[in-house]
Amino acid sequence: EVQLVESGGGLVQPGRSLRLSCAASGFTFDDYAMYWVRQAPGKGLEWVSGISWNSTIGYADSVKGRFTISRDNAKNSLYLQMNSLRTEDTALYYCAKGEKWELLSSLDYWGQGTLVTVSS
Amino acid sequence: QSALTQPASVSGSPGQSITISCTGTSSDVGGYNYVSWYQQHPGKAPKLMIYEVSNRPSGVSNRFSGSKSGNTASLTISGLQAEDEADYYCGSYTSSNTRVFGTGTKVTVL
């Protein structure tokens, strides 16, 4: 059974940093693309970043230059380093698995999310 | 990276069919057959319903179908049931090697 468990969320002041983690199990992690998607309270889904099996990376314009996605295939883990956080980054952050190895793949399994609140 | 355009709400009676549209550009929906659809019930994580325009993952009811014409993709739900009441989002691969979601559609079963 595929499981994705996010951690690392919390309350942080504007301008500070936070690192999210996603522990994956139930599939061969290094064979698939992985993604971060966020959802602000009461709002829609926003694609944040993705990383292919061979570490090709993409970012949404809203986070480019501030967020860094990475993966550790030995630890079956996905990460999102978030710097220079803004109040508009407040959201529930989901980790999701791609249904194939490339960034063009759909997101076929999702975690339950970790909440990031940026406020002074 | 503008969000794809979806109607804010669609409603139908049990047993009816409804269609949700998803309009993008030639740089996303129109340029690639990598359109997907997600169902999200309140307080839950999204669930993949359709991938690559018209393919259903294992376990998804055949009442759900997808199609695309030009820059617009569509999700049709046939034989509408109470459990289909949820938010639905389309998503597409883009020419920038990124992905983009739609604005979301609330489906109400009358």
Side-chain angles (χ1 to χ4, degrees), chain A residues 42-63:
Chain A
K43 303 297 184 182
L45 301 177
E46 181 185 11
W47 186 88
V48 173
S49 183
I51 183 167
S52 72
W53 71 283
N54 63 351
S55 296
T56 299
I57 286 171
Y59 295 103
D61 287 345
S62 57
V63 307

Side-chain angles (χ1 to χ4, degrees), chain A residues 50-102:
Chain A
I51 183 167
S52 72
W53 71 283
N54 63 351
S55 296
T56 299
I57 286 171
Y59 295 103
D61 287 345
S62 57
V63 307
K64 198 175 296 183
R66 300 188 299 123
F67 289 13
T68 302
I69 191 173
S70 61
R71 64 190 298 162
D72 185 334
N73 290 340
K75 294 183 177 180
N76 288 351
S77 293
L78 177 72
Y79 305 101
L80 186 68
Q81 177 66 43
M82 305 186 295
N83 298 332
S84 303
L85 282 161
R86 305 167 179 167
T87 55
E88 55 264 35
D89 295 319
T90 293
L92 184 65
Y93 284 73
Y94 291 105
C95 166
K97 169 188 168 292
E99 46 90 21
K100 55 179 67 162
W101 61 94
E102 305 162 278

Side-chain angles (χ1 to χ4, degrees), chain B residues 3 5 44-45 49 58 62 67-68 80 83 86 92 97 104:
Chain B
T5 301
K44 300 294 186 181
M49 304 302 285
S58 175
N62 60 7
S67 63
K68 191 186 85 166
L80 198 62
E83 68 211 46
S92 176
N97 203 27

Side-chain angles (χ1 to χ4, degrees), chain A residues 27-48:
Chain A
F27 64 101
T28 305
F29 183 75
D30 46 5
D31 281 351
Y32 296 92
M34 296 294 297
Y35 301 96
W36 288 102
V37 175
R38 68 185 180 184
Q39 187 168 34
K43 303 297 184 182
L45 301 177
E46 181 185 11
W47 186 88
V48 173

Side-chain angles (χ1 to χ4, degrees), chain B residues 26-94:
Chain B
S26 58
S27 296
D28 39 64
V29 174
Y32 307 92
N33 287 326
Y34 292 106
V35 176
S36 47
W37 290 90
Y38 304 86
Q39 176 192 64
Q40 187 180 34
H41 286 108
K44 300 294 186 181
K47 174 186 177 183
L48 178 66
M49 304 302 285
I50 295 287
Y51 67 99
E52 293 177 17
V53 176
S54 60
N55 295 302
R56 275 188 311 277
S58 175
V60 172
S61 170
N62 60 7
R63 297 186 298 103
F64 292 84
S65 61
S67 63
K68 191 186 85 166
S69 178
N71 295 338
T72 299
S74 299
L75 174 72
T76 297
I77 309 175
S78 308
L80 198 62
Q81 298 180 1
E83 68 211 46
D84 300 331
E85 187 161 293
D87 293 325
Y88 291 82
Y89 296 89
C90 61
S92 176
Y93 177 71
T94 83

